[in-house]
Protein backbone atom coordinates (compact mmCIF):
# COMPACT_ATOMS: atom_id res chain seq x y z
CA UNK A 1 0.00 0.00 0.00
CA UNK A 2 1.39 3.37 -0.94
CA UNK A 3 1.05 6.86 0.46
CA UNK A 4 0.61 8.22 -3.06
CA UNK A 5 -2.64 9.73 -4.32
CA UNK A 6 -3.57 7.78 -7.40
CA UNK A 7 -6.34 7.34 -9.97
CA UNK A 8 -6.91 3.63 -10.43
CA UNK A 9 -8.54 2.43 -13.65
CA UNK A 10 -11.15 -0.15 -12.77
CA UNK A 11 -11.90 -2.94 -15.22
CA UNK A 12 -14.65 -2.19 -17.72
CA UNK A 13 -16.57 -5.07 -19.16
CA UNK A 14 -18.38 -3.46 -22.06
CA UNK A 15 -21.58 -5.09 -23.13
CA UNK A 16 -24.46 -4.09 -25.40
CA UNK A 17 -26.75 -5.00 -22.48
CA UNK A 18 -25.00 -2.44 -20.26
CA UNK A 19 -21.47 -2.12 -18.90
CA UNK A 20 -20.00 -3.57 -15.74
CA UNK A 21 -17.06 -2.54 -13.55
CA UNK A 22 -15.63 -4.26 -10.52
CA UNK A 23 -13.25 -3.71 -7.62
CA UNK A 24 -11.70 -6.30 -5.35
CA UNK A 25 -9.69 -5.90 -2.18
CA UNK A 26 -5.92 -6.21 -2.57
CA UNK A 27 -6.39 -6.04 -6.34
CA UNK A 28 -7.92 -2.87 -7.77
CA UNK A 29 -8.31 -1.61 -4.18
CA UNK A 30 -4.84 -1.65 -2.58
CA UNK A 31 -6.05 -2.65 0.90
CA UNK A 32 -8.41 -4.96 2.76
CA UNK A 33 -11.91 -3.48 2.78
CA UNK A 34 -13.41 -2.92 6.24
CA UNK A 35 -16.14 -0.42 5.43
CA UNK A 36 -18.13 0.99 2.53
CA UNK A 37 -20.25 4.14 2.77
CA UNK A 38 -21.86 6.42 0.23
CA UNK A 39 -22.88 10.04 0.00
CA UNK A 40 -26.05 10.91 -1.89
CA UNK A 41 -28.88 13.48 -2.05
CA UNK A 42 -26.33 16.27 -1.71
CA UNK A 43 -28.08 19.64 -2.15
CA UNK A 44 -26.59 21.96 -4.78
CA UNK A 45 -23.58 23.91 -3.51
CA UNK A 46 -22.96 21.71 -0.44
CA UNK A 47 -19.49 20.57 0.59
CA UNK A 48 -18.70 17.24 2.26
CA UNK A 49 -15.53 16.04 3.90
CA UNK A 50 -13.14 18.80 5.01
CA UNK A 51 -11.01 16.56 7.16
CA UNK A 52 -8.13 14.07 7.08
CA UNK A 53 -7.82 10.62 8.60
CA UNK A 54 -4.89 9.70 10.82
CA UNK A 55 -4.52 6.14 9.56
CA UNK A 56 -7.49 5.31 7.31
CA UNK A 57 -6.86 4.78 3.60
CA UNK A 58 -9.80 5.19 1.22
CA UNK A 59 -10.85 4.82 -2.37
CA UNK A 60 -13.54 7.12 -3.79
CA UNK A 61 -15.64 6.28 -6.85
CA UNK A 62 -18.27 8.43 -8.58
CA UNK A 63 -20.83 5.69 -9.16
CA UNK A 64 -23.19 8.24 -10.66
CA UNK A 65 -22.97 11.91 -11.68
CA UNK A 66 -19.91 13.99 -10.94
CA UNK A 67 -18.19 15.93 -8.18
CA UNK A 68 -14.76 17.31 -7.38
CA UNK A 69 -12.44 15.82 -4.80
CA UNK A 70 -10.00 18.46 -3.60
CA UNK A 71 -7.00 16.98 -1.84
CA UNK A 72 -4.23 18.65 0.15
CA UNK A 73 -1.02 16.95 1.26
CA UNK A 74 0.00 19.77 3.60
CA UNK A 75 2.00 21.37 0.85
CA UNK A 76 -0.03 21.38 -2.33
CA UNK A 77 -3.65 21.14 -3.41
CA UNK A 78 -4.84 18.72 -6.10
CA UNK A 79 -8.30 18.73 -7.69
CA UNK A 80 -9.83 15.64 -9.27
CA UNK A 81 -13.13 15.81 -11.11
CA UNK A 82 -14.69 12.37 -10.75
CA UNK A 83 -17.29 11.75 -13.42
CA UNK A 84 -16.89 8.13 -14.50
CA UNK A 85 -17.85 5.02 -12.55
CA UNK A 86 -14.68 3.19 -13.65
CA UNK A 87 -12.14 5.42 -11.94
CA UNK A 88 -11.19 4.91 -8.32
CA UNK A 89 -9.38 7.76 -6.56
CA UNK A 90 -7.04 6.33 -3.94
CA UNK A 91 -6.72 8.74 -1.02
CA UNK A 92 -4.13 7.58 1.50
CA UNK A 93 -4.13 8.45 5.19
CA UNK A 94 -3.10 11.95 6.26
CA UNK A 95 -4.45 13.68 3.16
CA UNK A 96 -6.98 16.47 3.65
CA UNK A 97 -10.06 16.03 1.46
CA UNK A 98 -13.08 18.08 0.49
CA UNK A 99 -15.86 16.98 -1.89
CA UNK A 100 -17.73 19.69 -3.76
CA UNK A 101 -19.56 20.60 -7.00
CA UNK A 102 -21.88 17.62 -6.71
CA UNK A 103 -24.13 17.20 -9.73
CA UNK A 104 -27.81 16.41 -9.22
CA UNK A 105 -28.30 12.75 -8.28
CA UNK A 106 -24.57 12.10 -7.90
CA UNK A 107 -23.51 9.14 -5.81
CA UNK A 108 -20.11 9.04 -4.10
CA UNK A 109 -18.96 5.59 -3.03
CA UNK A 110 -16.19 5.47 -0.43
CA UNK A 111 -14.29 2.29 0.43
CA UNK A 112 -12.16 2.30 3.57
CA UNK A 113 -9.66 0.02 5.27
CA UNK A 114 -10.78 0.88 8.83
CA UNK A 115 -14.01 0.79 10.77
CA UNK A 116 -15.55 4.16 11.65
CA UNK A 117 -13.91 5.92 14.58
CA UNK A 118 -14.34 9.61 15.35
CA UNK A 119 -10.81 9.77 16.81
CA UNK A 120 -9.46 8.93 13.32
CA UNK A 121 -10.51 12.40 12.14
CA UNK A 122 -8.47 15.58 11.99
CA UNK A 123 -11.08 18.27 11.40
CA UNK A 124 -8.93 21.37 11.81
CA UNK A 125 -6.91 22.29 8.72
CA UNK A 126 -4.28 24.26 10.64
CA UNK A 127 -3.78 21.32 13.01
CA UNK A 128 -3.45 19.06 9.94
CA UNK A 129 -0.76 21.22 8.32
CA UNK A 130 1.10 21.48 11.64
CA UNK A 131 1.15 17.68 11.99
CA UNK A 132 2.34 17.34 8.37
CA UNK A 133 5.13 19.81 9.09
CA UNK A 134 6.23 18.60 12.49
CA UNK A 135 4.77 15.14 13.03
CA UNK A 136 3.26 14.52 16.44
CA UNK A 137 3.80 12.41 19.50
CA UNK A 138 2.09 9.42 17.87
CA UNK A 139 4.65 9.48 15.08
CA UNK A 140 1.97 10.30 12.48
P1 LIG B 1 -18.32 12.68 8.04
O1 LIG B 1 -17.25 11.67 7.76
O2 LIG B 1 -17.91 13.89 8.83
O3 LIG B 1 -18.97 13.17 6.68
P2 LIG B 1 -18.27 13.72 5.35
O4 LIG B 1 -16.83 13.68 5.57
O5 LIG B 1 -18.69 12.79 4.29
O6 LIG B 1 -18.81 15.05 5.11
O7 LIG B 1 -19.53 11.94 8.73
C1 LIG B 1 -20.76 12.58 8.97
C2 LIG B 1 -21.43 11.91 10.15
O8 LIG B 1 -21.68 10.55 9.86
C3 LIG B 1 -20.58 11.95 11.41
O9 LIG B 1 -21.43 12.27 12.49
C4 LIG B 1 -20.10 10.53 11.59
C5 LIG B 1 -21.11 9.71 10.84
N1 LIG B 1 -20.48 8.54 10.19
C6 LIG B 1 -20.67 7.27 10.71
O10 LIG B 1 -21.37 7.07 11.72
N2 LIG B 1 -20.06 6.21 10.11
C7 LIG B 1 -19.27 6.35 9.02
O11 LIG B 1 -18.71 5.37 8.49
C8 LIG B 1 -19.07 7.68 8.49
C9 LIG B 1 -18.20 7.92 7.29
C10 LIG B 1 -19.70 8.74 9.11
Amino acid sequence: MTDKIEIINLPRILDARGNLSVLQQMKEVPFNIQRVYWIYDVPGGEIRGSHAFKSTNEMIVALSGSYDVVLHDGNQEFRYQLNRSYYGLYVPKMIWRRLENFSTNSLALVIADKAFAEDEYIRDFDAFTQIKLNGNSNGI
Side-chain angles (χ1 to χ4, degrees):
M1 190 152 35
T2 74
D3 273 346
K4 204 164 107 355
I5 297 163
E6 208 177 332
I7 289 275
I8 294 170
N9 278 310
L10 303 174
R12 277 196 282 164
I13 299 147
L14 303 180
D15 193 307
R17 299 170 301 155
N19 302 330
L20 183 153
S21 285
V22 59
L23 49 81
Q24 300 167 91
Q25 64 181 357
M26 299 310 293
K27 290 191 176 154
E28 295 82 11
V29 180
F31 50 72
N32 282 314
I33 298 169
Q34 286 293 327
R35 180 168 50 117
V36 177
Y37 60 94
W38 49 99
I39 298 169
Y40 55 99
D41 289 349
V42 179
E46 281 297 343
I47 293 175
R48 299 292 313 220
S50 297
H51 52 71
F53 293 115
K54 294 174 189 168
S55 69
T56 303
N57 302 293
E58 291 190 331
M59 183 181 277
I60 307 177
V61 184
L63 281 189
S64 178
S66 70
Y67 50 89
D68 294 345
V69 183
V70 186
L71 301 178
H72 204 293
D73 64 3
N75 203 16
Q76 235 187 311
E77 187 175 277
F78 308 88
R79 179 178 291 267
Y80 293 87
Q81 190 193 33
L82 295 187
N83 56 10
R84 293 282 181 266
S85 59
Y86 47 83
Y87 289 136
L89 176 61
Y90 174 63
V91 183
K93 64 182 185 299
M94 287 304 290
I95 296 287
W96 190 269
R97 88 285 314 276
R98 184 173 84 237
L99 279 62
E100 62 187 28
N101 290 334
F102 286 88
S103 69
T104 305
N105 289 331
S106 56
L107 173 56
L109 183 76
V110 187
I111 297 147
D113 69 349
K114 300 257 165 29
F116 172 76
E118 186 57 44
D119 65 5
E120 261 293 297
Y121 284 76
I122 302 169
R123 293 190 182 274
D124 181 89
F125 186 71
D126 290 338
F128 166 74
T129 52
Q130 276 307 309
I131 294 168
K132 291 297 269 189
L133 265 179
N134 306 320
N136 69 8
S137 55
N138 298 322
I140 292 168

Tab-separated table of all heavy atoms in Angstrom, residues 35 53 114-121:
chain	number	residue	atom	x	y	z
A	35	ARG	N	-14.929	-1.253	5.353
A	35	ARG	CA	-16.138	-0.422	5.434
A	35	ARG	C	-16.413	0.197	4.074
A	35	ARG	O	-15.469	0.547	3.346
A	35	ARG	CB	-15.898	0.686	6.467
A	35	ARG	CG	-17.042	1.627	6.675
A	35	ARG	CD	-16.792	2.478	7.928
A	35	ARG	NE	-15.465	3.072	7.905
A	35	ARG	CZ	-15.225	4.370	7.875
A	35	ARG	NH1	-16.222	5.239	7.909
A	35	ARG	NH2	-13.990	4.834	7.848
A	53	PHE	N	-7.822	11.764	7.692
A	53	PHE	CA	-7.821	10.619	8.603
A	53	PHE	C	-6.392	10.310	9.025
A	53	PHE	O	-5.474	10.342	8.199
A	53	PHE	CB	-8.428	9.390	7.932
A	53	PHE	CG	-9.892	9.519	7.637
A	53	PHE	CD1	-10.355	9.526	6.340
A	53	PHE	CD2	-10.806	9.638	8.670
A	53	PHE	CE1	-11.710	9.645	6.063
A	53	PHE	CE2	-12.160	9.766	8.411
A	53	PHE	CZ	-12.612	9.775	7.105
A	114	LYS	N	-10.593	0.893	7.363
A	114	LYS	CA	-10.781	0.879	8.825
A	114	LYS	C	-12.258	1.077	9.143
A	114	LYS	O	-12.983	1.744	8.390
A	114	LYS	CB	-10.016	2.034	9.486
A	114	LYS	CG	-8.523	2.017	9.257
A	114	LYS	CD	-7.787	1.523	10.474
A	114	LYS	CE	-6.340	1.137	10.184
A	114	LYS	NZ	-5.676	1.828	9.109
A	115	ALA	N	-12.671	0.532	10.267
A	115	ALA	CA	-14.010	0.795	10.773
A	115	ALA	C	-14.125	2.272	11.156
A	115	ALA	O	-13.105	2.947	11.359
A	115	ALA	CB	-14.279	-0.084	11.992
A	116	PHE	N	-15.342	2.771	11.267
A	116	PHE	CA	-15.550	4.165	11.647
A	116	PHE	C	-15.064	4.413	13.070
A	116	PHE	O	-15.364	3.646	13.985
A	116	PHE	CB	-17.040	4.531	11.554
A	116	PHE	CG	-17.331	5.883	12.104
A	116	PHE	CD1	-17.004	7.012	11.378
A	116	PHE	CD2	-17.900	6.023	13.359
A	116	PHE	CE1	-17.251	8.286	11.892
A	116	PHE	CE2	-18.156	7.285	13.880
A	116	PHE	CZ	-17.828	8.416	13.141
A	117	ALA	N	-14.315	5.488	13.233
A	117	ALA	CA	-13.909	5.917	14.579
A	117	ALA	C	-13.707	7.426	14.540
A	117	ALA	O	-12.906	7.922	13.733
A	117	ALA	CB	-12.617	5.231	15.005
A	118	GLU	N	-14.433	8.137	15.374
A	118	GLU	CA	-14.340	9.609	15.346
A	118	GLU	C	-12.908	10.069	15.651
A	118	GLU	O	-12.458	11.092	15.121
A	118	GLU	CB	-15.348	10.212	16.338
A	118	GLU	CG	-15.459	11.728	16.323
A	118	GLU	CD	-15.818	12.349	14.969
A	118	GLU	OE1	-16.731	11.825	14.290
A	118	GLU	OE2	-15.175	13.360	14.595
A	119	ASP	N	-12.165	9.303	16.467
A	119	ASP	CA	-10.807	9.766	16.805
A	119	ASP	C	-9.802	9.552	15.666
A	119	ASP	O	-8.633	9.882	15.801
A	119	ASP	CB	-10.312	9.164	18.127
A	119	ASP	CG	-10.133	7.664	18.061
A	119	ASP	OD1	-10.305	7.076	16.966
A	119	ASP	OD2	-9.810	7.063	19.108
A	120	GLU	N	-10.282	9.023	14.540
A	120	GLU	CA	-9.461	8.934	13.325
A	120	GLU	C	-9.406	10.271	12.580
A	120	GLU	O	-8.580	10.475	11.701
A	120	GLU	CB	-10.088	7.913	12.373
A	120	GLU	CG	-9.466	6.545	12.401
A	120	GLU	CD	-8.050	6.569	11.859
A	120	GLU	OE1	-7.869	6.894	10.689
A	120	GLU	OE2	-7.125	6.286	12.623
A	121	TYR	N	-10.360	11.170	12.922
A	121	TYR	CA	-10.514	12.400	12.140
A	121	TYR	C	-9.599	13.516	12.634
A	121	TYR	O	-9.447	13.722	13.825
A	121	TYR	CB	-11.947	12.923	12.265
A	121	TYR	CG	-12.994	12.168	11.465
A	121	TYR	CD1	-13.450	10.935	11.883
A	121	TYR	CD2	-13.550	12.717	10.318
A	121	TYR	CE1	-14.435	10.251	11.174
A	121	TYR	CE2	-14.537	12.049	9.598
A	121	TYR	CZ	-14.971	10.814	10.031
A	121	TYR	OH	-15.937	10.164	9.323
